[in-house]
Amino acid sequence: MSRNAEVAGLLEEFADLLEAKDVEYKPRAYRRAAENIRGHPPAVEHLAAEGEDGVKAIDGVGDAIASKVVEYFETGGIEELDELRNELPVDMAALTSVEGVGPKTVGTLYETLGITTLDDLEDAAENGEIQELSGFGEKTEENIREGIAFAREAHERELLGEARPYGDRVRDFLAGVDAAAEVELAGSIRRWRPTIGDVDVLVGSDDADAVVEAFANWDAADTVIEAGESKASLRVDDFRVDLRVVAENEFGAALQYFTGSKDHNVRLRNRAIDRDLKMNEYGVFDVSEVDDADSGQRVGERVGGATEEEMYAALDLPPIPPELREDRGEIAAAADGDLPDLLDEGDVRGDLHTHTEWSDGGNTIREMAEGAAEFGHDYLAITDHATGPGMVGGVGLSDDELREQIDEIRTVDDDVAVDLFAGVEANIGADGSVSVADDVLAELDLVVASPHVGLDGDGTDRLVTAVEHPEVDVLGHPTGRLLNQRGGLDVDIERLAGAAAAEGVALESNSDPRRLDLDGGLVKPALDAGASIAVDTDAHQPGTLEYVRYGVHTARRGWAEADDVVNARDADGLREFLGL
Ligand code: DGT
Ligand code: CA
Ligand code: CA
Ligand code: ZN
């Protein structure tokens, strides 16, 4: 594994501990450095081998942080970090995964109540100890109590955006193993579910022993959980990776079975039974001449199973893309020849929601534009945060600053390869109002409006009001959910999407792996109601423009075609959508 994520994690831990101890400014510097290290392709271990100056080549990394990174690669630890850990021996990751509990709160809870774990926190909340602390109240305590259950569950599932790179690495590694004839990811990661329980990978081979042995000896593995004759499980960082090895001529059957979902497979098997067929992980079998179809796994006459296409074809169906296999009507649509022609990663022509250092992004307008050009985009909208509900610490831009920024965007636009659109991410108030003056909104090319506060309860009225604002073009991360942290707003998606369709507003499929908002399960009814979507990354640095893949596959889970996506249009098509 590249060690950038590992180093970024340490710097984030540093930032959390400093913040918990009420240190000012430094935490932000550590976070910024962490984000840049995580988002940049050069391997940090190579830079560290050149010493501090090497590491300082990364944006936002100064002397102090560079020396700690070098220390880490030279000694395997960072002394100052160890000291902080001793002073504050808390399970920071677990505690801060409770919504509303940040590092500062963790610091206070440790100093006053000695809380170090989720169990401690739960006990204190149950016993009413937290509401007694100054700065906390009954409402806070109640929120914490409710957040703990969510946080515990969250610990069992990893974000798709964290798991997928590991999945790709596993697949690439196995593809290089001689004995592996075919390799494919399976399970939820192949269906691109927003969160992943474990990473499933399937190999077709006539030498299972050799494949299992190579897998168990993979350098990247931390622990071999088990290794059997045709299957094995590893722990790689936080992930459990399950390998199954099957015969080559049964690869398609196994792939179909282990991709799931369970509900999709149940419905498919019923279709098989209706046709006197038996379908399982070994193949499809004609059992019309068989007395007892349950007498074995491979009974009757084999119809297929080497490829997935054969499996679906045996049931008179075209292949169904993995993202659709959630039992949302895909089998009926396939039978009727009505499967969507799904959006592809390459269809997206630009990004309509990105940030720069004008608000809380890490880079200049020019750097973001150059990054977008390098990524292959035709255009890019700069949509920094406006001041307003949910923006703290001076992050958001005032109306005057937005006017200034429009000029700067026009200037940069003259000498970069992408077309720049001057935008804003305005905040949606509790009443659905939009936090920027109308005349500024009118000057902008594109207005993203997003909810950032009050993210529980029913948000339909509020979001519909925002969508009906004449200057709004995109509804950003509509529900405001954060995966594994908070569920976000409830919405009547038919009503919201109906309003969006009537007003010509696109609903966002936000690609940030922490959000994936709208969820695929909401994209489908939104499209059915006639709305368009925008697949945006919400990137805060050029490196995360590539998160668009998660938004694309999430949109595919919602049956999106290129025609449904406003930023799959060319620049002129987008201008037309924006009324420019
Ligand atoms: P996850 O890992 O919780 O994110 O979700 P999946 O879908 O990857 O589930 P997993 O890893 O337990 O199993 C992989 C696939 O194998 C699953 O999607 C469908 C199939 N499968 C596993 N167990 C069963 C079962 O008992 N019945 C059926 N029909 N399919 C199963
Ligand atoms: Ca799985
Ligand atoms: Ca599994
Ligand atoms: Zn936002």
Side-chain angles (χ1 to χ4, degrees):
M1 306 279 116
S2 153
R3 301 185 67 185
N4 288 41
E6 172 189 337
V7 171
L10 287 173
L11 295 178
E12 275 156 4
E13 186 186 353
F14 225 119
D16 286 346
L17 289 166
L18 290 168
E19 195 177 332
K21 293 180 68 67
D22 252 340
V23 177
E24 291 193 61
Y25 308 117
K26 267 195 188 175
R28 197 162 169 193
Y30 276 82
R31 290 219 170 86
R32 178 154 182 246
E35 210 168 308
N36 287 341
I37 288 174
R38 196 191 296 280
H40 279 255
V44 68
E45 61 265 42
H46 295 162
L47 298 175
E50 297 163 25
E52 285 178 33
D53 285 339
V55 186
K56 276 162 66 184
I58 300 172
D59 268 358
V61 177
D63 292 323
I65 294 177
S67 79
K68 293 190 177 71
V69 173
V70 172
E71 179 189 347
Y72 181 63
F73 283 110
E74 281 176 356
T75 69
I78 303 174
E79 205 171 317
E80 222 181 298
L81 180 60
D82 289 337
E83 281 166 19
L84 281 169
R85 284 171 173 160
N86 284 334
E87 285 169 39
L88 210 69
V90 297
D91 187 348
M92 183 69 81
L95 291 168
T96 52
S97 67
V98 177
E99 197 195 347
V101 177
K104 269 209 175 86
T105 308
V106 171
T108 310
L109 292 171
Y110 175 70
E111 274 153 35
T112 52
L113 300 172
I115 289 172
T116 62
T117 64
L118 269 186
D119 286 340
D120 294 348
L121 183 65
E122 185 162 36
D123 288 346
E126 298 293 340
N127 296 333
E129 292 171 46
I130 291 173
Q131 54 171 296
E132 303 296 326
L133 301 177
S134 83
F136 295 75
E138 249 176 79
K139 178 74 185 150
T140 315
E141 185 175 84
E142 192 189 319
N143 286 345
I144 288 177
R145 219 180 303 126
E146 285 169 5
I148 286 172
F150 224 123
R152 283 196 200 284
E153 213 175 296
H155 259 53
E156 292 161 19
R157 299 189 67 80
E158 302 292 337
L159 300 184
L160 172 67
E162 310 250 340
R164 185 74 204 193
Y166 284 88
D168 293 343
R169 287 288 303 268
V170 172
R171 195 186 45 199
D172 291 350
F173 168 73
L174 288 169
V177 171
D178 282 343
E182 288 179 276
V183 183
E184 201 55 78
L185 295 174
S188 54
I189 201 167
R190 184 164 181 243
R191 305 194 315 277
W192 299 79
R193 258 191 78 172
T195 62
I196 303 296
D198 61 15
V199 175
D200 296 293
V201 61
L202 193 70
V203 167
S205 170
D206 55 13
D207 188 354
D209 281 349
V211 175
V212 167
E213 189 182 319
F215 183 66
N217 287 310
W218 185 26
D219 287 346
D222 295 321
T223 331
V224 178
I225 300 169
E226 56 175 304
E229 273 175 35
S230 61
K231 54 190 214 174
S233 299
L234 302 181
R235 188 155 294 285
V236 183
D237 286 357
D238 284 338
F239 301 95
R240 181 188 166 104
V241 183
D242 280 353
L243 165 75
R244 287 184 193 80
V245 189
V246 301
E248 279 175 59
N249 71 341
E250 294 181 343
F251 182 76
L255 181 59
Q256 197 291 315
Y257 179 86
F258 288 111
T259 296
S261 68
K262 230 178 200 171
D263 292 343
H264 171 86
N265 287 353
V266 167
R267 196 171 290 274
L268 209 57
R269 268 201 307 276
N270 288 335
R271 186 177 170 91
I273 291 164
D274 289 345
R275 287 171 161 63
D276 262 339
L277 297 170
K278 177 186 172 81
M279 176 173 185
N280 58 27
E281 59 190 284
Y282 309 102
V284 189
F285 305 89
D286 181 342
V287 289
S288 54
E289 308 290 317
V290 177
D291 291 337
D292 181 6
D294 294 328
S295 60
Q297 298 290 8
R298 300 173 178 90
V299 292
E301 189 190 336
R302 189 171 192 272
V303 181
T307 65
E308 254 191 349
E309 287 75 16
E310 278 179 22
M311 298 297 288
Y312 286 96
L315 304 183
D316 301 318
L317 296 172
I320 299 178
E323 293 95 327
L324 300 188
R325 300 184 196 171
E326 299 291 349
D327 192 25
R328 293 183 185 139
E330 69 277 8
I331 294 171
D336 294 343
D338 285 339
L339 282 179
D341 179 10
L342 291 179
L343 175 75
D344 285 315
E345 286 185 26
D347 291 336
V348 174
R349 311 285 289 266
D351 205 317
L352 305 186
H353 182 171
T354 65
H355 297 270
T356 73
E357 62 185 19
W358 281 65
S359 63
D360 59 349
N363 297 78
T364 61
I365 295 168
R366 184 179 300 271
E367 285 163 350
M368 289 302 285
E370 285 166 353
E374 202 172 309
F375 186 72
H377 280 327
D378 298 346
Y379 51 83
L380 179 75
I382 302 292
T383 58
D384 273 308
H385 289 288
T387 182
M391 290 303 118
V392 289
V395 160
L397 303 183
S398 67
D399 292 348
D400 282 343
E401 287 166 324
L402 281 169
R403 284 196 188 89
E404 220 182 289
Q405 197 195 23
I406 295 173
D407 291 339
E408 174 70 9
I409 291 170
R410 304 278 183 240
T411 305
V412 175
D413 189 20
D414 286 340
D415 45 42
V416 291
V418 289
D419 283 357
L420 288 182
F421 290 86
V424 68
E425 181 179 15
N427 308 288
I428 300 175
D431 56 357
S433 60
V434 173
S435 72
V436 177
D438 286 349
D439 61 321
V440 179
L441 292 178
E443 258 182 71
L444 290 158
D445 301 326
L446 178 148
V447 176
V448 178
S450 314
H452 288 116
V453 285
L455 297 170
D456 47 22
D458 192 293
T460 313
D461 287 342
R462 179 182 172 200
L463 296 177
V464 167
T465 303
V467 155
E468 287 173 346
H469 189 294
E471 300 295 345
V472 170
D473 302 297
V474 175
L475 183 64
H477 48 73
T479 73
R481 79 164 171 186
L482 285 180
L483 291 162
N484 287 346
Q485 287 179 52
R486 66 171 182 236
L489 295 166
D490 295 326
V491 291
D492 173 347
I493 191 68
E494 281 81 11
R495 211 184 117 212
L496 176 62
E503 299 289 332
V505 168
L507 302 179
E508 189 172 70
S509 170
N510 188 297
S511 312
D512 184 320
R514 291 163 296 190
R515 296 189 181 275
L516 299 181
D517 179 15
L518 294 175
D519 184 79
L522 293 179
V523 167
K524 185 167 190 290
L527 296 178
D528 289 343
S532 299
I533 58 169
V535 180
D536 296 332
T537 61
D538 206 346
H540 284 63
Q541 67 237 42
T544 48
L545 289 167
E546 68 186 41
Y547 284 165
V548 69
R549 68 195 294 229
Y550 302 116
V552 166
H553 289 279
T554 298
R556 286 167 64 95
R557 287 172 60 79
W559 299 44
E561 303 190 339
D563 281 351
D564 298 318
V565 180
V566 293
N567 55 321
R569 302 182 180 196
D570 62 15
D572 285 336
L574 178 67
R575 281 192 192 92
E576 194 186 328
F577 169 74
L578 296 172
L580 297 175

